[in-house]
Amino acid sequence: MATTAVSSITTPRLLLRPFARSDTAAIASHCGDLRVARMCRVVPHPYGIAEAEFFVDQVCSRADGRIYAIVLGGHVVGCVGLESISGESATLGYWLGAETWGLGVATEAAGALIDHAFGGLLDGLERIESGYWSENVGSAKVQSKLGFSLLGRGPLLCLARGC
């Protein structure tokens, strides 16, 4: 699948841009919150600056993903990305700092990324998948608003939960 480089995406309230080393304190603060970490597959707990630096330096630079900082009011408040990009599919993931839960930020950010993905960011893309834990009502609402359909239930990996 061919990809097109996009340095940033804007919405009425948000800027989605690549993460920078200067974002590590915000990343560590948000992901260090167990309420956030336990809703993410690959965020360990505890989570500190070293983990945030690894995320920015290694994870965000992988060729099989497009990962963006979510910036609201000049502050990094979360992350949205497409990973495991191969063939006709990709996997949507996102997290937000707890202070922005319930404000529509995840829906706006993920919706913008999905629009760009199907609009040429990822040539040949036909399907985007995602998942959430059953107790994460917020993510269930986000995915419903974005038009996702429930295809099944099953276990999810979660480092912060130890599973």
Side-chain angles (χ1 to χ4, degrees):
M1 172 183 300
T3 62
T4 303
V6 173
S7 59
S8 65
I9 299 168
T10 58
T11 74
R13 295 186 299 165
L14 307 174
L15 169 65
L16 309 181
R17 60 155 175 80
F19 277 101
R21 257 303 178 105
S22 59
D23 299 325
T24 56
I27 297 166
S29 175
H30 296 310
C31 290
D33 182 338
L34 185 57
R35 295 173 298 170
V36 174
R38 65 186 308 273
M39 296 299 171
C40 300
R41 291 180 302 114
V42 294
V43 175
H45 191 76
Y47 191 100
I49 293 293
E51 289 79 14
E53 289 173 346
F54 177 85
F55 174 73
V56 170
D57 295 343
Q58 302 297 319
V59 176
C60 292
S61 64
R62 290 192 339 226
D64 69 338
R66 296 290 177 269
I67 301 173
Y68 296 92
I70 302 171
V71 180
L72 173 66
H75 302 283
V76 172
V77 298
C79 174
V80 63
L82 294 171
E83 299 181 286
S84 303
I85 299 169
S86 63
E88 301 168 345
S89 70
T91 301
L92 173 70
Y94 51 89
W95 57 259
L96 289 177
E99 73 279 359
T100 57
W101 291 355
L103 301 179
V105 172
T107 304
E108 186 174 334
L113 181 55
I114 289 168
D115 288 347
H116 275 76
F118 284 120
L121 176 65
L122 301 173
D123 294 333
L125 183 68
E126 293 186 15
R127 181 179 67 247
I128 296 177
E129 303 169 351
S130 196
Y132 59 89
W133 279 267
S134 58
E135 72 266 23
N136 192 342
V137 176
S139 273
K141 289 178 181 177
V142 167
Q143 292 180 26
S144 176
K145 289 176 187 177
L146 294 173
F148 281 80
S149 299
L150 181 63
L151 298 178
R153 298 178 191 274
L156 293 172
L157 166 74
C158 179
L159 295 177
R161 296 173 186 235
C163 58

